[in-house]
Amino acid sequence: MKKVILAVALTLSAALSFGQTNSNTKPTLQLVRNATLIIEYGGKKILVDPMLSQKGAIESWAGIQKNPTVDLIMPVNEIVKDVDLVLVTHTHDDHFDKAASKILDKSIELLHQPADKEFFEKEGFKNAAVLKDNMLWNDISIHRVEGQHGSGEILKMMGKTSGFVLKAKNQPTVYIVGDAIWTDDVKKNIKKFDPDYIVVNSGGARIQGYENTPIIMDEAQTMALIGESGKAKVIAVHMDALDHCRTTRSSLIQKAAEFNIGTDKLLIPQDGEVITLSL
C-alpha cells in the first residue's frame, strides 16, 4: 500500500513539475520561411501565416520565377505538430496557401480578420473565428490591428490585411505588423501597445505594373519604423523567399549599417532560426 501511495505521489509530483516547467519556459519566435512564424508564448504554440508549399508550387508574381523561391528547411509535420492556435493576417497565398489548408487539421483553432470569414468557411475550418478587436485566449490577450497593404490604386487590389499584438502576464508584448507599409497607424499602434518586440514584413514587395509602389515595408520604411520603435527590438522577416520581394536580408543589413543600427536593435533571422524573447 505504501508503494502505491509513493508511486501516486511521484506521478503527481512529475505532473506538477512538468506543468511548472511548461509555464515558465521562455517565449521564442522561430522564422519558418517568409512570414511563417512559430511562436512559443505563454506555454502555447502559435503558428502565424502558414505558407507550406514546396519550392516553385505557386505562380510567379514578378515574372522572375515561381514561388516560393526556396524550400522549407524543416519538415512540415514538425511545423504543424502540437500547434495550439493559428493566426492568419490575411489569405494571400504567401500567408495562407493551399498546402496549409490541406495539411492543417480542420478542427484546429484559428483566428482571422473579418474580411476572411467566408474564405475559412469554404475551406472547412470548423474552429476558425473572426477576431474583430481583441480577445483573451488561454490567458493570452490577442489584439487585432489594421494594416495598409500598399497605397493608392494598388491598395484597392490588395484588399484588407491585419496584424496582431500578443500580451500576457510575465511575457514580452509582441506586435506582429503583418503585410503593411509604414503609416501613422503603425506608429500609433507602437505607442499604444508599447511592444517589446515588433515583427515587420520588410520584403519591399512590388506588383508588376506598380513597381514604384511597395506593398509592404522596404529598407527605408523599416528604418523609419525603427526610428519610432521605442524600447522594442525589431525582427525583420518576409525576405529571400518570393520573387516579387526586392528587399533582401543583405540589402536591409546594408541600410541598417548606414543608420548605425546594430543587432541589439534589429534582428534579421535566417529560415529556421529561433529567437528567444525576453522582457
Side-chain angles (χ1 to χ4, degrees):
M1 185 67 180
K2 288 182 179 180
K3 289 182 178 180
V4 174
I5 293 172
L6 179 60
V8 172
L10 287 172
T11 302
L12 288 172
S13 176
L16 288 171
S17 176
F18 175 79
Q20 289 169 355
T21 301
N22 189 45
S23 63
N24 292 330
T25 300
K26 288 187 177 180
T28 60
L29 180 148
Q30 181 177 28
L31 172 62
V32 175
R33 181 184 59 187
N34 194 47
T36 304
L37 310 171
I38 294 172
I39 302 178
E40 299 281 354
Y41 192 88
K44 299 297 181 181
K45 181 177 178 180
I46 301 173
L47 178 62
V48 181
D49 282 359
M51 181 193 194
L52 304 179
S53 292
Q54 296 181 350
K55 179 181 177 181
I58 302 172
E59 64 181 345
S60 167
W61 295 315
I64 300 172
Q65 67 182 105
K66 289 186 176 181
N67 293 298
T69 59
V70 294
D71 282 316
L72 289 166
I73 67 167
M74 52 198 297
V76 171
N77 61 350
E78 182 181 325
I79 296 168
V80 302
K81 182 181 179 182
D82 297 327
V83 167
D84 297 296
L85 177 69
V86 179
L87 291 177
V88 181
T89 61
H90 64 304
T91 54
H92 289 168
D93 277 347
D94 55 330
H95 294 263
F96 194 92
D97 59 3
K98 291 179 181 178
S101 185
K102 181 178 180 180
I103 293 166
L104 289 170
D105 191 313
K106 297 298 183 181
S107 65
I108 199 166
E109 284 193 74
L110 187 152
L111 294 177
H112 58 83
Q113 62 179 359
D116 295 328
K117 184 176 186 294
E118 185 177 345
F119 173 89
F120 284 107
E121 287 177 349
K122 286 183 177 179
E123 293 299 310
F125 283 89
K126 301 173 184 177
N127 289 316
V130 170
L131 183 59
K132 293 182 179 179
D133 184 16
N134 63 81
M135 69 175 294
L136 188 64
W137 176 82
N138 284 285
D139 295 324
I140 300 171
S141 180
I142 305 175
H143 299 257
R144 188 185 68 84
V145 295
E146 298 286 344
Q148 186 176 318
H149 202 353
S151 58
E153 190 66 26
I154 193 70
L155 178 58
K156 298 176 184 177
M157 296 170 56
M158 300 310 294
K160 291 283 187 180
T161 187
S162 297
F164 297 99
V165 179
L166 306 179
K167 296 173 69 73
K169 185 178 180 180
N170 298 323
Q171 301 286 302
T173 298
V174 181
Y175 174 18
I176 303 164
V177 178
D179 270 8
I181 58 173
W182 174 245
T183 62
D184 283 341
D185 285 339
V186 176
K187 183 177 177 179
K188 289 175 182 177
N189 287 334
I190 295 172
K191 289 185 176 180
K192 176 181 178 180
F193 293 103
D194 190 26
D196 298 287
Y197 291 89
I198 302 171
V199 183
V200 56
N201 293 350
S202 297
R206 286 164 166 78
I207 298 299
Q208 283 183 296
Y210 298 86
E211 285 79 2
N212 295 324
T213 307
I215 58 174
I216 58 176
M217 295 189 212
D218 54 14
E219 298 95 337
Q221 291 190 20
T222 301
M223 294 305 109
L225 179 146
I226 290 172
E228 300 289 343
S229 61
K231 68 180 183 185
K233 288 187 177 182
V234 176
I235 302 173
V237 299
H238 206 308
M239 290 170 285
D240 298 327
L242 305 172
D243 76 330
H244 70 317
C245 286
R246 296 187 177 185
T247 299
T248 65
R249 291 182 176 98
S250 295
S251 68
L252 189 60
I253 289 170
Q254 182 177 349
K255 179 63 70 174
E258 294 175 13
F259 283 75
N260 295 315
I261 296 169
T263 55
D264 59 325
K265 185 64 176 177
L266 175 62
L267 304 174
I268 307 174
Q270 297 295 318
D271 291 356
E273 184 174 345
V274 177
I275 297 171
T276 299
L277 307 177
S278 57
L279 285 167

mmCIF file of all heavy atoms in Angstrom, residues 94 103 124 168 183 191 225 239:
data_model
loop_
_atom_site.group_PDB
_atom_site.id
_atom_site.type_symbol
_atom_site.label_atom_id
_atom_site.label_comp_id
_atom_site.label_asym_id
_atom_site.label_seq_id
_atom_site.Cartn_x
_atom_site.Cartn_y
_atom_site.Cartn_z
ATOM 1 N N ASP A 94 0.948 33.817 -50.026
ATOM 2 C CA ASP A 94 2.219 33.812 -49.293
ATOM 3 C C ASP A 94 2.015 33.919 -47.780
ATOM 4 O O ASP A 94 2.987 33.998 -47.028
ATOM 5 C CB ASP A 94 3.157 34.918 -49.790
ATOM 6 C CG ASP A 94 2.546 36.306 -49.742
ATOM 7 O OD1 ASP A 94 1.323 36.434 -49.881
ATOM 8 O OD2 ASP A 94 3.301 37.285 -49.569
ATOM 9 N N ILE A 103 -3.035 20.665 -45.246
ATOM 10 C CA ILE A 103 -2.251 19.982 -44.221
ATOM 11 C C ILE A 103 -2.807 20.197 -42.814
ATOM 12 O O ILE A 103 -2.828 19.274 -41.996
ATOM 13 C CB ILE A 103 -0.780 20.451 -44.295
ATOM 14 C CG1 ILE A 103 -0.151 19.965 -45.607
ATOM 15 C CG2 ILE A 103 0.021 19.964 -43.088
ATOM 16 C CD1 ILE A 103 1.158 20.622 -45.948
ATOM 17 N N GLY A 124 -13.527 24.898 -44.858
ATOM 18 C CA GLY A 124 -13.982 23.855 -43.957
ATOM 19 C C GLY A 124 -13.347 23.836 -42.582
ATOM 20 O O GLY A 124 -13.402 22.812 -41.888
ATOM 21 N N ALA A 168 0.638 39.066 -22.386
ATOM 22 C CA ALA A 168 0.319 38.132 -21.307
ATOM 23 C C ALA A 168 1.207 38.444 -20.108
ATOM 24 O O ALA A 168 2.274 39.059 -20.237
ATOM 25 C CB ALA A 168 0.521 36.685 -21.759
ATOM 26 N N THR A 183 2.933 53.588 -41.852
ATOM 27 C CA THR A 183 1.898 54.615 -41.792
ATOM 28 C C THR A 183 1.788 55.154 -40.368
ATOM 29 O O THR A 183 2.346 54.577 -39.435
ATOM 30 C CB THR A 183 0.515 54.042 -42.193
ATOM 31 O OG1 THR A 183 0.149 53.010 -41.255
ATOM 32 C CG2 THR A 183 0.532 53.482 -43.601
ATOM 33 N N LYS A 191 2.917 53.120 -30.087
ATOM 34 C CA LYS A 191 2.743 53.945 -28.886
ATOM 35 C C LYS A 191 1.675 53.367 -27.961
ATOM 36 O O LYS A 191 1.809 53.389 -26.739
ATOM 37 C CB LYS A 191 2.381 55.373 -29.284
ATOM 38 C CG LYS A 191 3.527 56.147 -29.924
ATOM 39 C CD LYS A 191 3.144 57.579 -30.189
ATOM 40 C CE LYS A 191 4.327 58.375 -30.735
ATOM 41 N NZ LYS A 191 3.973 59.792 -30.994
ATOM 42 N N LEU A 225 10.381 52.847 -39.244
ATOM 43 C CA LEU A 225 9.737 52.149 -38.127
ATOM 44 C C LEU A 225 10.694 52.028 -36.948
ATOM 45 O O LEU A 225 10.306 52.278 -35.797
ATOM 46 C CB LEU A 225 9.260 50.772 -38.576
ATOM 47 C CG LEU A 225 8.580 49.899 -37.505
ATOM 48 C CD1 LEU A 225 7.473 49.051 -38.132
ATOM 49 C CD2 LEU A 225 9.576 48.969 -36.804
ATOM 50 N N MET A 239 11.553 38.009 -46.343
ATOM 51 C CA MET A 239 12.613 38.284 -47.323
ATOM 52 C C MET A 239 13.186 36.982 -47.872
ATOM 53 O O MET A 239 13.117 35.939 -47.232
ATOM 54 C CB MET A 239 13.736 39.107 -46.674
ATOM 55 C CG MET A 239 13.338 40.540 -46.346
ATOM 56 S SD MET A 239 14.578 41.388 -45.338
ATOM 57 C CE MET A 239 14.268 40.636 -43.747
#
